Amino acid sequence: MKKFKKFYIEITSVCNLACSFCPQTKRQANFIKIDDFKKTLDQIKPHAEYIYFHVKGEPMMHPKIDELLDISHEKGFKVTLTSNGTLVNKVRDKILMKPALRQINFSLHSFDGHEGSTDKEGYLESILSFVREALAKTDMLISLRLWNLTQDNTVNVQRNRNSEILQTLEKEFQLDYNIEDKFERGTGLKLADRVYLNQDHEFEWPDLKAEEDDGKGFCHALRNQAGVLVDGTVIPCCLDGEGVINLGNIHRTHFSEIIEGERATNLYDGFSRREAVEELCRKCGYRKRFGT
């Protein structure tokens, strides 16, 4: 029985922003239905305990996110929610005290990533206001993300652009140091109890149009993680935002059967040999993080 540390459930494919780092999905706009969500959780129950409301889309847009969190708790799951944070004031009362909600990842780079964003100060204050209340009333973990650094360390455009955010965080958490002095790419910096800042390079989604590499390397897809899109399509990892590696659909085939199917097995066995058998995997730079 395969067990996953992370299981991604896309509760909506709809987003209220159009960020430069996140290609707009070509899939139909959709919100997961309550009955389908319950069936999904029942199918993955033997395989996962921690679920993530994330692939594409903005989860805070789901009109019944409070019900989804309640159902997750009833069925014994802990939830991490990844959000651009722009709607946090609208859903605060729906999500704040939900026992299923273990962690929220706020993608602060979304503000500058979306052309037309206004009032950065107000944007940050709405998120920090939520963080203050969450820290006071719950055991929730908070991850603040700035994933907009360039690969070329001589270019400091992003760091200059982030300076306002970093200064705000330094003031908010009464830090006696400059965050930049503690910066280490890809690692979390603890700002306060249960609050972390993560800075990293701008995220690149794998794309079939990209250049293919030698296909060597390893990935944790179908080892540590798997996922399902809002229409029920099972995917091997959270980076397959378009369902290119379609392993099957849980509305037609049980999840336990899908992940033991031929395509899933070939992908899993391939990475055991340090070989990417899927075309999308051979065009995914994230795989290189795990070496060859």
Side-chain angles (χ1 to χ4, degrees):
M1 180 72 69
K2 286 189 173 72
K3 295 274 190 177
F4 303 106
K5 292 181 180 179
K6 300 179 179 181
F7 193 92
Y8 294 88
I9 301 178
E10 184 185 69
I11 63 172
T12 179
S13 57
V14 180
C15 188
N16 62 323
L17 300 185
C19 295
S20 58
F21 56 83
C22 185
Q24 297 296 293
T25 180
K26 299 178 179 63
R27 295 180 286 116
Q28 182 178 356
N30 205 350
F31 293 86
I32 198 167
K33 296 177 176 60
I34 295 296
D35 286 346
D36 288 342
F37 183 71
K38 289 179 179 178
K39 291 174 185 176
T40 297
L41 293 190
D42 288 340
Q43 289 194 32
I44 70 169
K45 181 63 177 174
H47 304 278
E49 179 181 352
Y50 297 97
I51 57 177
Y52 290 66
F53 287 179
H54 179 60
V55 178
K56 289 292 187 73
E58 168 51 55
M60 290 187 183
M61 290 191 71
H62 198 294
K64 297 183 178 179
I65 190 171
D66 49 345
E67 289 186 50
L68 300 182
L69 289 169
D70 285 340
I71 294 165
S72 299
H73 178 63
E74 291 166 7
K75 294 184 179 293
F77 290 93
K78 291 294 185 181
V79 177
T80 294
L81 193 157
T82 297
S83 171
N84 59 46
T86 56
L87 303 175
V88 68
N89 281 342
K90 292 185 178 181
V91 302
R92 179 193 295 252
D93 294 338
K94 283 188 171 186
I95 69 175
L96 182 63
M97 302 305 295
K98 296 300 185 184
L101 190 52
R102 174 180 176 269
Q103 177 171 327
I104 296 186
N105 304 322
F106 287 108
S107 299
L108 301 184
H109 48 279
S110 300
F111 184 89
D112 286 317
H114 175 72
E115 185 177 350
S117 293
T118 58
D119 189 15
K120 182 181 287 188
E121 183 179 349
Y123 167 73
L124 291 174
E125 175 53 31
S126 65
I127 291 174
L128 292 174
S129 173
F130 177 89
V131 171
R132 290 182 209 117
E133 192 171 2
L135 293 179
K137 296 181 178 179
T138 76
D139 295 323
M140 193 184 306
L141 298 170
I142 304 291
S143 174
L144 305 173
R145 294 176 171 180
L146 281 171
W147 289 0
N148 58 3
L149 303 180
T150 63
Q151 299 286 345
D152 185 351
N153 290 327
T154 65
V155 180
N156 292 312
V157 174
Q158 283 78 12
R159 290 196 179 190
N160 292 335
R161 189 170 60 185
N162 291 340
S163 62
E164 182 181 347
I165 294 177
L166 298 183
Q167 289 171 14
T168 299
L169 296 179
E170 289 163 2
K171 182 179 179 181
E172 172 69 25
F173 297 104
Q174 301 179 342
L175 303 181
D176 59 0
Y177 58 85
N178 292 325
I179 290 175
E180 280 298 341
D181 295 339
K182 300 280 188 177
F183 167 70
E184 186 175 346
R185 188 187 75 80
T187 62
L189 177 65
K190 186 174 182 178
L191 303 181
D193 185 34
R194 293 183 280 125
V195 183
Y196 298 85
L197 172 67
N198 289 273
Q199 296 187 79
D200 210 329
H201 292 155
E202 182 171 314
F203 184 79
E204 290 187 23
W205 290 86
D207 190 334
L208 288 177
K209 296 178 182 177
E211 186 175 344
E212 191 169 312
D213 61 24
D214 61 7
K216 302 297 182 183
F218 178 76
C219 181
H220 292 287
L222 292 183
R223 278 179 164 80
N224 288 354
Q225 64 168 288
V228 60
L229 299 178
V230 68
D231 66 352
T233 299
V234 175
I235 53 176
C237 75
C238 63
L239 304 187
D240 187 4
E242 292 301 290
V244 172
I245 307 175
N246 183 344
L247 301 177
N249 192 293
I250 59 171
H251 300 317
R252 294 188 287 273
T253 308
H254 197 283
F255 176 76
S256 297
E257 183 178 340
I258 289 173
I259 58 169
E260 298 297 340
E262 182 179 2
R263 190 170 189 180
T265 299
N266 288 341
L267 183 149
Y268 184 98
D269 290 346
F271 282 126
S272 296
R273 303 188 303 270
R274 301 299 192 269
E275 176 187 344
V277 300
E278 290 281 349
E279 180 184 0
L280 188 69
C281 298
R282 294 193 295 272
K283 297 179 176 182
C284 178
Y286 201 82
R287 188 184 79 252
K288 297 174 183 177
R289 296 189 179 198
F290 307 111
T292 57

